Amino acid sequence: MPSRFRWTILPDPNRDFPHRWTDWWRLSAVLAVVLLLAGGLVWQQPLQRAFTCGWFDGSAWAAGDECVGLSDGSYDFGLDRFSAVLHVVAQQNAAAADKCDPRGTPVTVGALLTLTDRNAGGRALHELEGMAAGQRHANDIGCLHPMRLVVANVGAYGPDNEAVEVARELAADPDVVAVAGLGLSQQRSAEVADLLAVAKIPMVADLITAEGFDQTGSRDDQPDFSACNADITYPRGVGKDYFYRVAYRNAVQIEQLAAAVPGRPDFVMVPTGGSDPYPCTALPLMQRRFGGKITEVKFDADDATTVSLTAQRICSTAKDVEVLYIARGGDLAAFLVSLNDALVNNRCPAASVTVISTSDGLRVRSPEADARLEESRLLALRSPSFTDGRIRLVSTLVSGADRFRGDNPGFRDLETAFAGAGFDAAHLDDGWAVNGYDAVTTISAALRTLPSAKPVQRGQVNTAISGFSSSSQAVSGAGGPITFDNSGNRADAGPPVVRVCPPPAPNGDQPARTPSVVVRPGTPPAC
């Protein structure tokens, strides 16, 4: 028997026109569902961004359990410790033109960095403060083009491609004429540099030191990438024609270490695996420069117990031991603590241990955001063996200077801008603030060569930066004069080597700053 009921989305054709509104409800409901589904597909990402990070500000979005994207300073990505510096950026953006040529056309510079990666630690705050200080100095007397900063947080480097997506968002802004920062020596950083180069955006990297991360793949250093991952792209170079870096690359740092600490070290400490470009490109250079066949002592950066085992291995010889350290600085404090434990408990026959590190070793001078790492850092610096000199730490200054020394008058400008912005001078010690400042200052120096009354083009800024190639055209950086070679590398003699000294006792609520002394060949540095 046929059913008496019939479902259809169309009105009954046998009913006289005009149809009642109730005749159309089924068709309207179906059309609404179709439109919502189609709109969901089209607007999926904007909706996700609107309801996660930034509250309807499409320039920030969720990536895992953190927020990434862009901020003009009014948004802190949910990271309270960055609120103060981002508040300063917002204020400086609003007042950018106050001291500039009234005819000047404004520009936007991207400050692209990771605020949360474990290999940055507490230094990420200092890097951003240095960039904000660089903006403050750029917009001071003599400014032709008011500079606004847009902060681009790529988050923690992980399996997703958020760094590239953040860079893509930054490149889409036609007002962005240059980018400073670029995070760490990571494969993702290489991909970011290549993306920005396609958009013809000049980049001044402040912290990338690994081999391969220049316009020619560090060809002149004859690097060896065989210990690195197979799918890397940086051996071919990055950011062709548009990439520069104020940080001293590892080859130059290693040369400076070899000159300051002559002889053949006993060990070289290196993490397992080849995913991190920083150690995997430095290890072959270390071996080659210090004579080769140095015993490699490896540890697992993800397993803290292997660090103490490494310390026991290095302590096994009854002599003054020298160990090259090319692992990340976040693991160094735990290594120093393990060495001290072995020495004070008579499990270490070595008379002394000198740890010789490339620039990431200076992380121990920087307060950590992670409470566990900060406890380990303070234990290392205040340990009996570090205090009495049985454990010594020697490292390069990635920035070129950690204080005013006479030939870097730009450091005084940094100190003035840093204090004016209300930042803590102790944040200058590890070098990240200095390099952040110098990266922005390099872009500012390029802008000051361009006419004030005409809009600024990305290509013009790039041409001006490439022209900083001789002492007569050098940028007055806080770390010293800045010039670039044809690969975009910093082109002077190289950074000083320093011994990190024990900090004095804290003064009230003020944490003690960790000092350093310059290491000169043939003269033991005394703290």
Side-chain angles (χ1 to χ4, degrees), residues 325 332 336 353-358 361-365 381 386 391-395 498-501 517 519 525 527:
Y325 183 92
L332 178 57
L336 298 177
V353 180
T354 299
V355 181
I356 305 165
S357 175
T358 42
L362 290 183
R363 180 168 175 171
V364 297
R365 299 181 70 184
L381 295 178
F386 194 82
I391 297 175
R392 294 183 288 271
L393 173 61
V394 172
S395 182
V498 299
R499 176 182 172 184
V500 177
C501 295
V517 293
V519 177
C527 287

Side-chain angles (χ1 to χ4, degrees), residues 328-414:
R328 288 288 184 176
D331 301 302
L332 178 57
F335 175 56
L336 298 177
V337 169
S338 296
L339 285 175
N340 172 74
D341 290 345
L343 283 164
V344 298
N345 291 306
N346 297 317
R347 298 194 309 270
C348 181
S352 68
V353 180
T354 299
V355 181
I356 305 165
S357 175
T358 42
S359 58
D360 218 46
L362 290 183
R363 180 168 175 171
V364 297
R365 299 181 70 184
S366 173
E368 293 282 0
D370 182 285
R372 180 183 58 83
L373 292 178
E374 177 63 3
E375 180 183 15
S376 180
R377 185 185 77 89
L378 293 176
L379 282 173
L381 295 178
R382 296 171 180 171
S383 67
S385 303
F386 194 82
T387 301
D388 66 22
R390 283 179 291 169
I391 297 175
R392 294 183 288 271
L393 173 61
V394 172
S395 182
T396 43
L397 290 177
V398 68
S399 60
D402 57 359
R403 64 176 66 87
F404 174 73
R405 60 168 188 254
D407 60 348
N408 59 332
F411 205 91
R412 294 297 194 209
D413 296 328
L414 166 58

Side-chain angles (χ1 to χ4, degrees), residues 13-102:
N14 296 319
R15 187 186 296 275
D16 293 334
F17 283 89
H19 295 296
R20 293 176 300 178
W21 71 270
T22 54
D23 294 338
W24 297 93
W25 75 269
R26 294 186 182 91
L27 176 61
S28 300
V30 170
L31 290 175
V33 170
V34 171
L35 289 172
L36 285 171
L37 289 173
L41 293 174
V42 173
W43 297 96
Q44 180 181 11
Q45 188 180 58
L47 287 171
Q48 181 187 20
R49 295 181 180 188
F51 288 101
T52 52
C53 301
W55 288 101
F56 293 93
D57 179 359
S59 58
W61 64 94
D65 59 354
E66 62 179 342
C67 295
V68 300
L70 312 184
S71 172
D72 62 359
S74 58
Y75 175 67
D76 64 6
F77 303 98
L79 303 168
D80 291 343
R81 66 192 182 94
F82 290 93
S83 294
V85 62
L86 286 165
H87 182 67
V88 169
V89 170
Q91 288 182 323
Q92 292 181 171
N93 282 344
D98 287 359
K99 297 182 181 180
C100 295
D101 188 324

Side-chain angles (χ1 to χ4, degrees), residues 104-460:
T105 53
V107 298
T108 300
V109 171
L112 193 152
L113 70 168
T114 169
L115 301 183
T116 54
D117 193 86
R118 69 178 295 270
N119 287 330
R123 298 173 298 177
L125 173 61
H126 309 165
E127 179 188 7
L128 185 53
E129 288 175 339
M131 292 179 177
Q135 178 197 21
R136 187 180 187 89
H137 181 65
N139 290 336
D140 208 340
I141 305 301
C143 165
L144 299 180
H145 299 279
M147 179 192 293
R148 297 179 67 256
L149 284 186
V150 57
V151 177
N153 173 32
V154 303
Y157 286 92
D160 297 327
N161 215 19
E162 292 303 330
V164 175
E165 292 307 312
V166 172
R168 197 184 314 279
E169 193 92 0
L170 191 62
D173 185 345
D175 294 331
V176 173
V177 299
V179 168
L182 270 79
L184 302 167
S185 302
Q186 298 278 3
Q187 168 61 28
R188 296 295 189 208
S189 299
E191 296 165 16
V192 165
D194 289 339
L195 182 150
L196 295 177
V198 170
K200 298 185 176 181
I201 298 178
M203 298 154 274
V204 183
D206 56 349
L207 301 170
I208 295 175
T209 64
E211 295 299 292
F213 287 82
D214 57 31
Q215 296 182 37
T216 62
S218 303
R219 183 175 55 219
D220 293 342
D221 298 334
Q222 300 180 332
D224 178 357
F225 300 102
S226 61
C228 305
N229 285 353
D231 58 351
I232 54 177
T233 63
Y234 51 87
R236 300 193 295 269
V238 304
K240 178 65 174 175
D241 295 329
Y242 290 89
F243 185 85
Y244 312 86
R245 52 178 171 177
V246 297
Y248 292 95
R249 66 192 190 276
N250 284 346
V252 173
Q253 293 188 43
I254 291 168
E255 192 66 31
Q256 295 296 98
L257 287 171
V261 189
R264 190 172 185 275
D266 303 281
F267 304 98
V268 55
M269 184 173 173
V270 63
T272 56
S275 62
D276 190 339
Y278 179 75
C280 81
T281 64
L283 177 59
L285 292 174
M286 281 281 199
Q287 288 281 16
R288 187 171 69 202
R289 182 59 184 84
F290 284 94
K293 298 183 179 179
I294 302 171
T295 301
E296 296 178 10
V297 180
K298 296 188 177 183
F299 73 102
D300 186 345
D302 296 323
D303 185 353
T305 62
T306 62
V307 176
S308 59
L309 294 174
T310 298
Q312 294 175 23
R313 170 81 182 280
I314 288 169
C315 272
S316 62
T317 307
K319 61 187 288 289
D320 292 318
V321 174
E322 290 185 349
V323 53
L324 298 170
Y325 183 92
I326 55 172
R328 288 288 184 176
D331 301 302
L332 178 57
F335 175 56
L336 298 177
V337 169
S338 296
L339 285 175
N340 172 74
D341 290 345
L343 283 164
V344 298
N345 291 306
N346 297 317
R347 298 194 309 270
C348 181
S352 68
V353 180
T354 299
V355 181
I356 305 165
S357 175
T358 42
S359 58
D360 218 46
L362 290 183
R363 180 168 175 171
V364 297
R365 299 181 70 184
S366 173
E368 293 282 0
D370 182 285
R372 180 183 58 83
L373 292 178
E374 177 63 3
E375 180 183 15
S376 180
R377 185 185 77 89
L378 293 176
L379 282 173
L381 295 178
R382 296 171 180 171
S383 67
S385 303
F386 194 82
T387 301
D388 66 22
R390 283 179 291 169
I391 297 175
R392 294 183 288 271
L393 173 61
V394 172
S395 182
T396 43
L397 290 177
V398 68
S399 60
D402 57 359
R403 64 176 66 87
F404 174 73
R405 60 168 188 254
D407 60 348
N408 59 332
F411 205 91
R412 294 297 194 209
D413 296 328
L414 166 58
E415 289 177 316
T416 299
F418 219 69
F423 302 145
D424 185 349
H427 293 178
L428 299 173
D429 293 343
D430 57 54
W432 280 38
V434 180
N435 273 20
Y437 174 88
D438 277 354
V440 172
T441 296
T442 298
I443 296 170
S444 170
L447 293 171
R448 294 191 179 208
T449 68
L450 303 178
S452 61
K454 295 182 179 180
V456 173
Q457 305 298 322
R458 294 169 173 177
Q460 294 174 316

Side-chain angles (χ1 to χ4, degrees), residues 489-522:
N489 290 312
R490 194 159 174 174
D492 57 44
V497 175
V498 299
R499 176 182 172 184
V500 177
C501 295
N507 181 14
D509 295 333
Q510 293 297 318
R513 296 176 67 172
T514 305
S516 70
V517 293
V518 175
V519 177
R520 306 191 186 282

